[in-house]
Amino acid sequence: EAVTTGGIWSGDGITDENAGIFSPLVAGPGEHVITYNVGIDMCADSDEITIIVNATPDATITPVGLFCDDEPEVTLTAATEGGIWSGDGITDENAGVFDPVVAGKGTHIITYEVEVDGCTGTDNITIIVNSTPDTPVEGTHLTGRTKVEWHWNVIPDAEGYKYNTENNYEEAVDIGTNTTYNQEGLECDSIYTLYVWAYNYCGESEVLIISESTDACPPACEGLEGIVYEYEFEYDGHIYEAITIGDQCWMAENLRYLPSVSPPSDGSETVPYYYVYNYFSYNVEDAKATVNYNTYGVLYNWVAAMQGSSGSNSNPSGVQGVCPPDWHLPSDAEWKELETLIGIGESEINETGFRGTNQGSKLATNASLWQSGDLKEDPEFGAIAFKGLPSGGRYYTGIFSNLGRNALWWSSTLLQGSTTHAWNRDIDYQNTGLARNYVYRETGRAVRCIWSHIPIP
């Protein structure tokens, strides 16, 4: 401002020559000579003034990285020393000491202010303090018969996740930010355990231990494809083998279900009876301890095999009888289907007695249990995994006979026009064929069950 107004101002930093406005920012640091001229000709006058502009001190804070809430304190620095520090976690405002433990987990604004020659510089910096992630939380898993799709929830501040099938973080598999893992190639109806960790630059979380079961195993012979496969299933405490032949699924061993037991002298066409070859008493546990029970299974009269059902020649028979749930006693028609599949011709399929060429030999197994004869001498003996054994039978005369000589199985079909005879199948040690005969219902024969389900494409 001048004594006499109305003049003109000039010099570095003058932004309005009439009003005399000086901008330190425009002038910049240094000494600046400002001139003021007023009046004209002989009445003109001028004056000068020197203005010193000091520089604003550089308060720029040196960048720092991320911190964990268990790290030791650090000293922050700035371009110009001598200022004052402030903000969460600053434990020495003059030295700029920052303590992550004091600051705690979170985002913190740190301010630095420094004054030089009356000018003040200020800067801010954001410091993030983190901690090891929380333990992942179990989600809802998806299961199949041979797989488990594991799920856990997203954890804030986690950079990623690792899993292992053992409680060993060092060898765990890193799957990045995925919160699912699809574990395949597992056994059905089994329990599996997975160990999961979240991690970030501060370390790993406590382990999440999760367990899940795969789905129940499929019924034997599920998904038939027209060729022979072997399967297993459990019934009444015993693991049975089963096979597919064509579109049929058969037990590959004789049924062992034994709710009671009687000697061969006891028999009836109308009352169910159960026998174990060469066992002559009534104790079920003793009968189950015999070699013959564990080798050949149980002999049933037809009433026991049918469990009160009437005869059937349907395909499938629809008669569960003594068989497990989802299984049934095969009809004569179902036996014929099997026989056709293994090569007995249409011209003789309905005949009685031995038919075919060597189908009996193919269905039999374990030559050491059979007496010497044409059956086990056939080169295709045991070629089909039906595993027929010479279990013998209980005859209407009240005796056991033909162990080692004959394999005998019931069907669910009565002889047409008869109430006393039912069809059965017979393999004999002296013949390579497969016999179809009708016998008294009170005789004891083995049972082979067949699966009740329709083949799955």
Side-chain angles (χ1 to χ4, degrees), residues 229-246:
Y229 288 97
E230 295 188 6
Y231 300 87
E232 290 183 346
F233 70 99
E234 183 175 354
Y235 176 55
D236 194 34
H238 179 68
I239 302 296
Y240 287 89
E241 293 183 354
I243 63 166
T244 65
I245 303 175

Side-chain angles (χ1 to χ4, degrees), residues 188-237:
C188 58
D189 199 19
S190 300
I191 298 175
Y192 290 88
T193 299
L194 196 71
Y195 301 85
V196 180
W197 298 264
Y199 68 86
N200 61 18
Y201 57 86
C202 292
E204 74 274 8
S205 68
E206 295 294 322
V207 63
L208 168 66
I209 304 174
I210 46 181
S211 295
E212 188 59 86
S213 297
T214 50
D215 292 352
C217 295
C221 303
E222 180 173 311
L224 305 180
E225 297 181 10
I227 57 175
V228 177
Y229 288 97
E230 295 188 6
Y231 300 87
E232 290 183 346
F233 70 99
E234 183 175 354
Y235 176 55
D236 194 34

